[in-house]
Amino acid sequence: MLLFALYLLIATVILIIVAFFYVSSIAATPPKGRADDLSKKLSLKSGRVIACIGDSLTHGNIGECWVESLRNKYPEDTVLNEGINGDVVWQVNNRIQSIINCSPDIIILMIGSNDAMASFNKKSGERYKSSNKLPEIPTFESYQKLLPKLLDKLDGTSKIALCTLPPIGENKDSAINEHVRKFNDFIELTAKNKNINLIPVSNLLWNELSKRTYPVKSDYDPSSIPIIRRIYGGMMHHYIFKKSWDEVAKSKGQWLLFDHIHLGERAAKILFNATKKYISSV
């Protein structure tokens, strides 16, 4: 009996390890239809080039992909998914030229969530600097310098929409969302100063969160182990047990963000509708 229990334990551990590496491989896979792909092997469609630039919230393999919904909505257009998991604004600045080389007609930019998390406390900043191989720890002050610099590089594109950032966790009065609000205030000010269109993602998602039908169970924890557990646990439930992202979210007491960070189907639909409205207006 003890031997059977031991074998069962070993088998369970092996399955968990295999599942972890499986979802890790998914997270590490770049999005399809990037500017690099276009220059190497893809041809332009007859319509416009629409570049969606950002981090994992745009990438869409950790959570629902609103960019793929845009591709389905605008099949004659070339929709580039330039969201890279974990990116901060410094990294987008460094890879923007390949996107510019595609001469996008429309750009949708949503970047800063990782900058906000990295600058929230010292340990988070050190973790981001190490894992992303950054020259320095991201700060709000560096974001204030690098976001306008990025937009200046995109100056040749007349149709640019800048998105405010989604919540981190679903507690409006939390310290992390107070921190995110600083970034969003700056994004709004930058859009106004540069006469760039603004997509109010933050307000749209907070409006939806006011409709939630069950209470918040937990709040965002910036420590590395809880973050890894939430992200990879959610991905296992989705990719292995085939639960929807919103089902995963509900099991954790979340309404929009299944792991306090990434978008479920309900949240992604809001982003899709907001970006579709902008694209259809220009």
Side-chain angles (χ1 to χ4, degrees), residues 22-263:
Y22 171 65
V23 297
S24 295
S25 69
I26 292 173
T29 302
K32 295 179 181 178
R34 295 186 62 199
D36 288 344
D37 300 325
L38 194 64
S39 62
K40 291 175 184 175
K41 57 187 177 182
L42 298 178
S43 59
L44 288 171
K45 295 182 180 180
S46 59
R48 303 163 293 183
V49 176
I50 302 170
C52 302
I53 307 170
D55 49 34
S56 58
L57 302 174
T58 301
H59 187 157
N61 63 356
I62 306 175
E64 188 68 10
C65 185
W66 54 272
V67 177
E68 200 61 37
S69 297
L70 288 180
R71 286 176 175 157
N72 294 333
K73 174 65 179 178
Y74 302 104
E76 298 302 315
D77 295 327
T78 300
V79 180
L80 303 178
N81 188 331
E82 285 295 338
I84 299 297
N85 293 341
D87 263 15
V88 296
V89 68
W90 181 87
Q91 290 166 293
V92 177
N93 262 288
N94 282 357
R95 63 179 173 88
I96 198 65
Q97 190 57 50
S98 63
I99 305 171
I100 295 170
N101 292 344
C102 293
S103 301
D105 300 287
I106 299 171
I107 288 175
I108 296 169
L109 176 63
M110 183 169 68
I111 189 66
S113 290
N114 289 305
D115 295 85
M117 288 186 285
S119 58
F120 183 57
N121 62 29
K122 184 179 179 180
K123 286 186 177 180
S124 296
E126 290 171 346
R127 186 170 66 244
Y128 268 91
K129 181 184 177 183
S130 175
S131 61
N132 289 20
K133 297 178 174 60
L134 303 174
E136 59 184 15
I137 291 174
T139 63
F140 177 59
E141 290 72 24
S142 64
Y143 184 83
Q144 288 177 298
K145 296 175 183 176
L146 290 170
L147 181 64
K149 181 179 177 181
L150 175 60
L151 292 169
D152 288 342
K153 291 178 181 179
L154 299 174
D155 195 44
T157 304
S158 60
K159 298 171 183 176
I160 301 175
L162 186 58
C163 300
T164 53
L165 307 176
I168 298 173
E170 298 185 357
N171 178 359
K172 197 167 189 176
D173 298 321
S174 67
I176 185 63
N177 279 314
E178 287 287 342
H179 189 57
V180 171
R181 269 191 282 279
K182 289 198 307 182
F183 283 78
N184 282 333
D185 288 345
F186 179 70
I187 289 169
E188 292 177 6
L189 179 63
T190 301
K192 181 178 179 181
N193 289 342
K194 290 187 172 292
N195 195 27
I196 292 174
N197 293 282
L198 183 77
I199 298 179
V201 170
S202 176
N203 289 342
L204 293 170
L205 293 183
W206 281 119
N207 287 343
E208 176 61 32
L209 281 168
S210 69
K211 303 173 186 177
R212 63 183 303 140
T213 58
Y214 44 83
V216 176
K217 283 186 180 179
S218 61
D219 203 357
Y220 171 77
D221 184 338
S223 303
S224 56
I225 291 177
I227 289 175
I228 291 170
R229 186 174 64 244
R230 290 194 307 265
I231 293 175
Y232 285 91
M235 291 182 72
M236 288 181 189
H237 278 92
H238 179 76
Y239 286 109
I240 296 174
F241 300 108
K242 305 304 178 183
K243 290 186 177 181
S244 72
W245 297 111
D246 281 351
E247 287 174 330
V248 177
K250 187 174 182 180
S251 71
K252 304 298 182 183
Q254 297 293 108
W255 186 254
L256 296 178
L257 312 170
F258 75 89
D259 57 359
H260 298 258
I261 301 168
H262 297 99
L263 312 174

Side-chain angles (χ1 to χ4, degrees), residues 263-282:
L263 312 174
E265 289 85 1
R266 186 182 286 117
K269 185 177 180 180
I270 291 171
L271 261 82
F272 163 66
N273 285 331
T275 52
K276 178 185 69 173
K277 181 179 178 181
Y278 169 71
I279 292 168
S280 299
S281 71
V282 297

